Amino acid sequence: MNSSSFLLRTLLGLTFLPLALSAQERFLDLEFEPGAETMWTDTGSSTASDRTASKNLPTLELANRAKIMAHYEEATQFLDELAEDTLSRSVPPTQDAETGAELQRSDLTSTSLGTAGGFFSATLGVKGMQEKSEWDTLDTQGSASVEFAWRIPKKAFAGVLGLAGSYARQSRSNSAIGGEIDTWVAELYFGGKGYLEIPDTAIWGYAGVGVSLLYTEVEGGILSSPNATNRSSDFGVGVYAQLGLLLRLNRSQSIGIEYRGLFGTNTTFFNTDISVDYNQFNFVFLVAF
């Protein structure tokens, strides 16, 4: 190849270089419209059958797009159902399956009897005799009780059975006895309770009534015989009432205060009719079971 031919080709190449670059940029920036057919340039070597086949080629959209989207939607739906099932298994139910009542949440935003079959409670308190003049220095006594309440299914009511007692020791002198005097009371009671809950709080309460069977004993010294004691006891029957207000600590434990009163009793000590009616205030600890 001589130098003049090489120089001529070089000049022609430099002349068409900008046109080639412009065409390349237009080709790279070219965007096909969705559904547009692919364009083919007919050459001398292509046949009629080749041109017909080229027109039937798939467009830029995938030929199996519908099937792929259907499988994708099925997979998405399956994952959503799996997530809901996992969540329902991990989160405890918010309603009691038996009663339909809303169960208490861990944050104590609400209270509920829930699935509790009953309640055990213990109390400590102070008893004040209603007839203070008859009991004189023994009119204030320390008291305690234990109680079981069996809940009626699907109801906010329960049957109650309990055992209560009180004790006091004081100094007293009269015509019959003197010196240190002891008195103690054993009380077996049974009745019913109704429970009331305050929505969206951890506070609930109860009210109850029933019948009490009592055994009361008083013992003291004899003025005429310093080394001897004189004792008197009697059984009695009365009607009790109780009101309580509780704060729920968790799903099974509560604490609170209670008023309890006994009425209509009639007993005899040292040949004297004496009432053992009382008003009592207690601290309550309750456990659901």
Side-chain angles (χ1 to χ4, degrees):
M1 177 182 299
N2 54 34
S3 59
S4 61
S5 177
F6 176 77
L7 180 60
L8 178 61
R9 292 188 178 186
T10 301
L11 292 175
L12 290 175
L14 293 175
T15 302
F16 289 101
L17 180 60
L19 296 177
L21 292 176
S22 176
Q24 184 180 20
E25 290 177 356
R26 292 182 59 190
F27 177 81
L28 293 177
D29 295 336
L30 182 62
E31 295 182 358
F32 289 92
E33 295 295 334
E37 293 184 354
T38 304
M39 302 299 295
W40 294 86
T41 303
D42 189 13
T43 63
S45 61
S46 63
T47 64
S49 60
D50 292 336
R51 291 192 296 271
T52 303
S54 67
K55 294 182 179 179
N56 296 328
L57 290 176
T59 64
L60 291 181
E61 292 187 353
L62 296 175
N64 296 324
R65 175 184 175 87
K67 292 183 179 180
I68 294 174
M69 291 303 297
H71 288 303
Y72 172 79
E73 292 175 358
E74 290 178 0
T76 303
Q77 183 178 1
F78 173 78
L79 292 175
D80 291 341
E81 293 175 355
L82 182 62
E84 292 177 359
D85 182 69
T86 303
L87 183 62
S88 63
R89 292 175 182 272
S90 61
V91 178
T94 58
Q95 286 189 334
D96 179 5
E98 176 188 0
T99 64
E102 183 181 358
L103 299 180
Q104 182 183 353
R105 305 295 180 84
S106 59
D107 59 359
L108 298 180
T109 56
S110 63
T111 60
S112 174
L113 297 177
T115 57
F119 307 96
F120 167 79
S121 60
T123 69
L124 287 174
V126 177
K127 175 192 293 185
M129 309 305 291
Q130 294 183 14
E131 300 296 335
K132 297 184 180 298
S133 59
E134 295 178 355
W135 288 91
D136 197 10
T137 57
L138 297 173
D139 63 317
T140 301
Q141 303 175 14
S143 61
S145 71
V146 291
E147 177 184 287
F148 290 91
W150 284 270
R151 178 186 168 199
I152 300 174
K154 300 183 180 181
K155 303 293 182 181
F157 298 94
V160 173
L161 178 65
L163 180 64
S166 63
Y167 174 80
R169 167 176 284 187
Q170 296 291 339
S171 297
R172 181 178 179 181
S173 297
N174 58 23
S175 58
I177 57 177
E180 294 292 333
I181 303 175
D182 296 309
T183 181
W184 60 277
V185 180
E187 180 180 349
L188 177 66
Y189 63 91
F190 55 93
K193 268 185 178 180
Y195 299 91
L196 176 65
E197 299 176 302
I198 301 177
D200 300 324
T201 71
I203 299 175
W204 59 306
Y206 59 84
V209 294
V211 177
S212 291
L213 307 177
L214 300 98
Y215 173 81
T216 305
E217 183 175 295
V218 180
E219 180 180 357
I222 302 175
L223 293 178
S224 58
S225 302
N227 296 325
T229 59
N230 194 2
R231 178 183 302 164
S232 181
S233 61
D234 197 6
F235 290 92
V237 178
V239 176
Y240 77 87
Q242 57 185 166
L243 293 171
L245 187 64
L246 300 172
L247 173 66
R248 193 182 297 272
L249 302 178
N250 51 52
R251 288 181 63 87
S252 62
Q253 298 178 347
S254 299
I255 59 173
I257 55 176
E258 176 190 78
Y259 164 79
R260 178 183 173 87
L262 184 67
F263 311 93
T265 62
N266 186 15
T267 55
T268 301
F269 303 102
F270 304 109
N271 299 319
T272 302
D273 292 336
I274 298 178
S275 168
V276 292
D277 295 354
Y278 62 77
N279 294 310
Q280 182 175 314
F281 295 93
N282 299 320
F283 170 80
V284 183
F285 176 72
L286 179 144
V287 177
F289 58 86

